[in-house]
């Protein structure tokens, strides 16, 4: 251990002997992240001076954690399936230190302190800057943007806000991520909501934000599911924001009746959409029609599944152009079918990169709203009792004045009865005051920290895009390797490192699979052409040891 620590210190301060790294393969991903501007984007994350210097260890011999170190710490957690930062205190520090290139890598307290100092506006700018970088490097395509919502369930014991989970069909503690992705499923921007906002409200917000980042003419078409079906939204998108849309229509009785009439009487409108190559027969067709919704006619595509009889209705603002075949309803239907790319991308981020775990663990304690509401209700009841008592006291005072001038048995009995009522109300008031005293103001009540979660998810999105662009550099059967398999096959592959004249020489061990071995050799050659830099700024140079048949 002492020798390894000495080697680590040498590694970061001067030319050193070779050091083993069990995550040498992950340097490929680090290199691609640097090429896409990851470290520069992290350094652009805005802090005020006081917040920036709050990430200090008071011990004079230990240095401050930088933003790049924090970002690479999160990358390490994702690669090693570490669900939350408090587990960092339980891991072997040597591998972690090598990966982040830090003698003292960020601890859980460093990351907690960092997250506490994050400014919501600065984190939103960070997400926007990521989108700009990815667009600049050609990773994302902005012509067609898919917008969808994903509920990230929270299973902790804390009291947090609840959202309806459509898939599970119940209301549960959760946070909702509304994401804008390109046609291939690459994330562009996103926003987290914990207040029950629906997709109809969020779509214009995300479109305006995209236009602010990239310009009004960049986004041409917005695609979303039937959750966003609303005529007012359609008009806002087309007339105010100047973008076309494709959506699924809701199944209201009027639309269903119109569609049934068309299927019954106008079969000639249907055109082939999809042939089954194995069965050699048509399995889907589509009709281009106009349907009326709230008195407004919309261009719609009626898609029939000839196997199951299921019918889907797509609504769009794209006008038919005889000179452009992509405006045919068959082309529009194929665009919407790419909606599954978005679901696949989210599943990869969720299952392969632990997106849901990293998004839900950070909570902020807030004033106990439930206790405050109870107190307010009881206070109103006490005030009402005070008013009743004042009214009765006034009446008793009037009766006493009458009794001074004239003795009356009836008036005396009324006064006595009112005195009894007064005592009863005083007893009720006392009981209410005791209830207030019993309310626990210190009972923990929380809300999900969307700022910290946004920062983490932004890093996951960057990582996901870097992974896709890395494996798409070379077109072969491994070009679409998903992140989860890549973690096992490539990113957790071992090798050795040596620092020579500010160049970090990374030599990967040979891979057992010859095809993936040759693929990684080509990948290394491609990366070496761009001279990527490590988190510490050393130029990274990749090599792979010669392949030998496995015995």
């Amino acid at each position: 251990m002492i020798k390894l620590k000495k080697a680590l210190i040498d590694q970061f301060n001067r030319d050193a002997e070779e050091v083993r790294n069990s995550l040498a393969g992950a340097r490929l991903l680090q290199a691609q992240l640097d090429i896409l501007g990851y470290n520069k984007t992290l350094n652009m994350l805005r802090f005020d001076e006081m917040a920036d210097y709050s990430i200090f260890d008071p011990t004079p011999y230990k240095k401050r954690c930088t933003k790049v170190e924090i970002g690479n710490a999160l990358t390490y957690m994702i690669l090693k399936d570490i669900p939350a930062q408090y587990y960092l205190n339980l891991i072997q520090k040597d591998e972690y230190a090598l990966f982040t290139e830090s003698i003292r890598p960020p601890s859980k307290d460093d990351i907690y302190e960092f997250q506490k100092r994050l400014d919501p506006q600065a984190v939103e700018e960070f997400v926007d800057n990521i989108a700009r970088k990815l667009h600049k490097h050609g990773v994302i395509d902005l012509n067609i943007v898919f917008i969808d919502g994903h509920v990230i369930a929270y299973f902790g014991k804390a009291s947090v806000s609840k959202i309806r989970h459509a898939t599970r069909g119940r209301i549960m503690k959760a946070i909702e991520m509304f994401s804008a992705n390109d046609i291939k499923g690459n994330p562009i921007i996103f926003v987290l909501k914990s207040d029950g906002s629906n997709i109809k409200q969020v779509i214009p917000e995300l479109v305006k934000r995209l236009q602010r980042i990239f310009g009004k003419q960049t986004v041409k078409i917005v695609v979303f599911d039937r959750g966003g079906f609303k005529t007012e939204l359609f008009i806002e998108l087309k007339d105010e924001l100047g973008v076309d849309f494709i959506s699924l229509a809701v199944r209201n009785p009027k639309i269903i009746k119109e569609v049934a009439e068309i299927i019954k009487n106008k079969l000639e409108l249907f055109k082939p959409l999809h042939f089954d190559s194995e069965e050699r027969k048509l399995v889907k067709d589509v009709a281009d029609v106009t349907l009326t919704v709230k008195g407004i006619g919309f261009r719609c595509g009626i898609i029939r599944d000839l196997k199951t009889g299921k019918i889907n209705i797509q609504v769009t603002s794209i006008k038919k152009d005889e000179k452009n075949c992509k405006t045919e309803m068959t082309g529009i239907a194929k665009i919407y079918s790419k909606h599954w790319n978005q679901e696949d991308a989210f599943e990869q981020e969720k299952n392969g990169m632990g997106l849901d775990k990293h998004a839900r663990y950070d909570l902020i304690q807030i004033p106990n709203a439930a206790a405050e509401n109870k107190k307010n209700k009881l206070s109103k009841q006490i005030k009402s009792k005070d008013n009743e008592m004042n009214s009765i006291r006034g009446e008793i005072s009037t009766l006493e004045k009458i009794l001074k001038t004239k003795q009356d048995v009836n008036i005396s009995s009324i006064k006595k009865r009112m005195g009894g009522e007064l005592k009863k109300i005083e007893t009720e008031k006392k009981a209410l005051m005791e209830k207030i005293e019993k309310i626990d103001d210190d009972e923990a009540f929380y809300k999900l920290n969307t700022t910290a979660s946004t920062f983490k998810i932004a890093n996951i999105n960057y990582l996901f895009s870097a992974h896709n662009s890395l494996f798409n550099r070379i077109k072969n059967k491994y070009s679409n390797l998903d992140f989860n398999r890549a973690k096992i096959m490539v990113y957790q592959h071992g090798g050795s490192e040596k620092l020579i004249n500010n160049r970090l020489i990374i030599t990967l061990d040979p891979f057992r699979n010859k095809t993936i071995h040759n693929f990684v050799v080509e990948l290394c050659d491609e990366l070496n052409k761009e001279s990527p830099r490590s988190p510490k700024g050393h130029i990274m140079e990749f090599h792979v040891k010669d392949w030998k048949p496995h015995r």
Side-chain angles (χ1 to χ4, degrees), residues 218-455:
T218 313
V219 179
K220 302 288 193 300
I221 301 169
V222 179
V223 186
F224 46 91
D225 63 17
R226 61 170 55 90
F229 187 87
K230 188 179 181 183
T231 52
E232 291 82 359
L233 174 61
F234 297 159
I235 292 164
E236 183 180 0
L237 288 171
K238 183 64 180 173
D239 296 346
E240 294 180 28
L241 300 177
V243 296
D244 284 310
F245 63 86
I246 303 171
S247 179
L248 279 184
V250 294
R251 300 178 184 278
N252 69 42
K254 192 174 180 182
I255 291 175
I256 291 170
K257 187 179 177 182
E258 276 192 74
V259 169
E261 286 290 324
I262 291 167
I263 292 171
K264 185 179 178 181
N265 302 318
K266 297 181 180 179
L267 278 175
E268 69 277 4
L269 294 175
F270 285 87
K271 293 182 180 179
L273 179 62
H274 180 64
F275 283 91
D276 189 315
S277 56
E278 291 182 4
E279 296 184 14
R280 296 185 179 182
K281 66 177 184 180
L282 183 68
V283 290
K284 283 186 181 179
D285 60 10
V286 60
D288 190 344
V289 300
T290 300
L291 297 178
T292 305
V293 182
K294 290 187 178 179
I296 302 171
F298 287 100
R299 187 184 179 199
C300 295
I302 303 170
I303 299 166
R304 296 192 305 167
D305 189 319
L306 301 176
K307 275 186 174 181
T308 63
K310 188 178 178 182
I311 293 170
N312 274 322
I313 306 152
Q314 292 179 4
V315 57
T316 183
S317 62
I318 300 171
K319 292 181 180 177
K320 187 175 180 179
D321 184 353
E322 299 294 341
K323 296 177 182 178
N324 187 353
C325 62
K326 290 181 181 178
T327 63
E328 292 284 344
M329 192 52 72
T330 50
I332 291 166
K334 284 174 182 174
I335 289 173
Y336 189 86
S337 68
K338 301 294 182 184
H339 190 269
W340 290 109
N341 289 351
Q342 324 310 313
E343 298 295 336
D344 292 342
F346 179 73
E347 285 303 312
Q348 273 201 55
E349 289 192 305
K350 183 181 172 185
N351 298 328
M353 307 176 80
L355 181 144
D356 55 336
K357 296 171 187 173
H358 289 287
R360 73 179 187 219
Y361 269 93
D362 295 301
L363 301 165
I364 302 172
Q365 190 163 350
I366 59 174
N368 191 335
E372 198 65 35
N373 287 338
K374 284 180 186 176
K375 271 192 168 184
N376 289 338
K377 284 180 182 178
L378 290 169
S379 297
K380 284 179 182 178
Q381 289 176 29
I382 289 169
K383 192 175 181 181
S384 175
K385 297 296 178 188
D386 283 335
N387 291 337
E388 282 184 57
M389 287 191 293
N390 289 335
S391 175
I392 291 170
R393 286 190 187 111
E395 289 183 34
I396 290 172
S397 177
T398 304
L399 291 173
E400 283 175 345
K401 287 178 183 177
I402 294 170
L403 286 170
K404 280 180 182 179
T405 57
K406 179 185 175 183
Q407 290 295 322
D408 190 314
V409 176
N410 290 332
I411 292 174
S412 296
S413 63
I414 291 168
K415 180 190 168 187
K416 189 176 180 181
R417 180 167 52 80
M418 284 187 170
E421 283 182 21
L422 188 63
K423 284 183 181 179
K424 183 185 174 184
I425 294 169
E426 282 176 343
T427 306
E428 289 172 355
K429 179 187 172 182
K430 189 178 178 182
L432 291 171
M433 292 178 76
E434 285 174 358
K435 280 185 180 180
I436 283 183
E437 287 174 9
K438 287 179 181 178
I439 292 172
D440 185 5
D441 289 324
D442 298 325
E443 184 187 347
F445 195 80
Y446 297 89
K447 70 174 181 179
L448 289 160
N449 183 357
T450 55
T451 303
S453 297
T454 299
F455 176 74

Side-chain angles (χ1 to χ4, degrees), residues 33-217:
L33 280 166
D34 180 66
I35 290 165
L36 295 179
Y38 179 61
N39 295 334
K40 289 178 182 176
T41 310
L42 278 169
N43 281 322
M44 287 168 65
L45 182 61
R46 184 168 47 81
F47 274 101
D48 59 52
E49 189 177 341
M50 198 171 170
D52 205 10
Y53 280 86
S54 69
I55 314 166
F56 254 113
D57 189 301
T59 313
Y61 303 104
K62 294 181 180 179
K63 65 180 183 59
R64 178 170 64 90
C65 295
T66 65
K67 299 166 192 173
V68 172
E69 284 175 333
I70 294 286
N72 280 278
L74 293 175
T75 302
Y76 178 83
M77 288 166 63
I78 292 160
L79 289 170
K80 298 296 288 184
D81 292 322
I82 298 170
Q85 51 260 31
Y86 52 76
Y87 287 108
L88 287 174
N89 286 18
L90 308 175
I91 65 168
Q92 284 288 333
K93 294 289 189 293
D94 304 325
E95 179 188 76
Y96 180 36
L98 260 180
F99 183 80
T100 55
E101 288 196 296
S102 174
I103 299 168
R104 179 191 170 269
S107 66
K108 71 175 179 66
D109 294 326
D110 291 325
I111 296 175
Y112 277 129
E113 183 66 20
F114 180 85
Q115 288 172 175
K116 277 194 283 184
R117 304 290 176 173
L118 286 170
D119 174 64
Q121 186 62 40
V123 173
E124 186 178 307
E125 288 172 11
F126 177 65
V127 174
D128 296 349
N129 287 333
I130 289 172
R132 288 188 184 97
K133 289 283 185 186
L134 294 177
H135 184 243
K136 180 183 174 182
H137 288 88
V139 176
I140 53 177
D141 178 9
L142 294 169
N143 285 321
I144 302 171
V145 173
F146 289 74
I147 296 177
D148 203 1
H150 304 281
V151 174
I152 302 168
Y154 171 75
F155 297 104
K157 293 181 180 179
S159 300
V160 298
S161 57
K162 294 183 178 181
I163 296 171
R164 188 177 185 280
H165 198 304
T167 308
R168 300 186 186 196
R170 63 191 180 97
I171 294 171
M172 60 194 304
K173 291 188 284 188
I175 191 170
E176 190 157 13
M177 181 177 86
F178 295 97
S179 180
N181 293 10
D182 73 0
I183 197 164
K184 293 179 182 176
N186 293 311
I188 307 170
I189 60 169
F190 69 96
V191 64
L192 294 180
K193 299 284 185 181
S194 58
D195 58 0
S197 298
N198 63 48
I199 196 166
K200 296 183 186 77
Q201 298 165 308
V202 177
I203 288 169
E205 178 187 331
L206 287 176
V207 172
K208 287 173 186 175
R209 191 167 158 191
L210 285 167
Q211 290 180 338
R212 190 184 73 237
I213 299 167
F214 301 107
K216 284 201 169 185
Q217 303 304 316

